């Protein structure tokens, strides 16, 4: 749980520092988002076994991140094309993983149904975000 907290704090700090110092770059943004996506997908994968999170969620996190990279053309030096729903989902993935991990560390018994409902809401919002990105790409 300490390492997760450290990862979240460093992620919240590194972007603003890079922007303030004028050191932000396309590759830096891509690496930052890649690390976030990998961490969240791995955490949620483990939590499918320990907290009953549907396996579909970490799969969608990974697939939606690939879509994000590809339709932004980030591999060709373009900026990542963000969306409000995508930003919300990215934060919500960390919140879900944090709830599971910190409740376990603090010995707080959360209702399993709450976690599963939260996960399904994220599955629906991730699918909506992916459809929104596809629609934007096709109508651009």
């Amino acid at each position: 749980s300490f390492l997760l907290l450290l990862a979240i704090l460093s992620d919240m700090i590194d972007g603003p520092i890079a922007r303030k110092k004028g050191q932000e770059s396309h590759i830096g943004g891509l690496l930052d988002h890649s690390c976030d996506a990998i961490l969240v997908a791995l955490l949620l994968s483990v939590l499918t076994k320990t907290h009953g999170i549907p396996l579909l969620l970490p799969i969608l996190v990974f697939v939606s991140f690939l879509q994000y990279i590809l339709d932004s053309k980030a591999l060709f030096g373009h900026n990542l094309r963000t969306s409000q729903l995508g930003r919300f989902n990215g934060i919500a993935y960390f919140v879900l993983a944090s709830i599971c991990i910190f409740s376990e560390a603090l010995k707080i018994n959360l209702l399993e149904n709450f976690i599963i409902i939260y996960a399904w809401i994220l599955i629906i919002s991730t699918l909506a975000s992916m459809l929104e990105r596809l629609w934007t790409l096709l109508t651009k």
Side-chain angles (χ1 to χ4, degrees):
S1 57
F2 174 74
L3 291 177
L4 176 60
L5 185 59
L6 187 63
I8 292 169
L9 290 175
S10 69
D11 192 47
M12 291 172 62
I13 294 170
D14 68 349
I17 290 173
R19 282 187 288 280
K20 184 177 181 180
K21 292 186 172 199
Q23 296 176 337
E24 62 185 330
S25 67
H26 300 298
I27 194 72
L30 182 59
L31 287 173
D32 179 56
H33 284 79
S34 298
C35 290
D36 290 347
I38 291 167
L39 175 61
V40 167
L42 288 174
L43 287 173
L44 292 174
S45 294
V46 169
L47 294 171
T48 63
K49 300 288 186 205
T50 61
H51 287 76
I53 291 174
L55 182 59
L56 182 57
L57 183 58
I59 291 169
L60 283 176
V61 168
F62 181 73
V63 172
S64 67
F65 180 69
L66 286 178
Q67 179 194 30
Y68 177 49
I69 290 175
L70 294 175
D71 78 6
S72 295
K73 298 183 177 98
L75 298 176
F76 300 105
H78 295 259
N79 286 331
L80 290 165
R81 189 175 49 82
T82 61
S83 73
Q84 285 298 105
L85 184 54
R87 205 172 284 131
F88 165 80
N89 285 338
I91 293 168
Y93 301 142
F94 271 108
V95 170
L96 177 60
S98 297
I99 288 171
C100 294
I101 291 168
F102 291 123
S103 67
E104 191 78 24
L106 298 172
K107 306 291 187 222
I108 299 170
N109 189 10
L110 290 177
L111 296 174
E112 185 176 313
N113 290 338
F114 168 77
I115 291 171
I116 293 171
I117 290 168
Y118 188 136
W120 278 104
I121 290 169
L122 273 176
I123 287 169
I124 292 166
S125 66
T126 301
L127 287 170
S129 177
M130 291 173 73
L131 288 172
E132 176 188 47
R133 293 186 76 75
L134 180 61
W135 178 257
T136 301
L137 182 67
L138 294 175
T139 59
K140 223 167 65 163

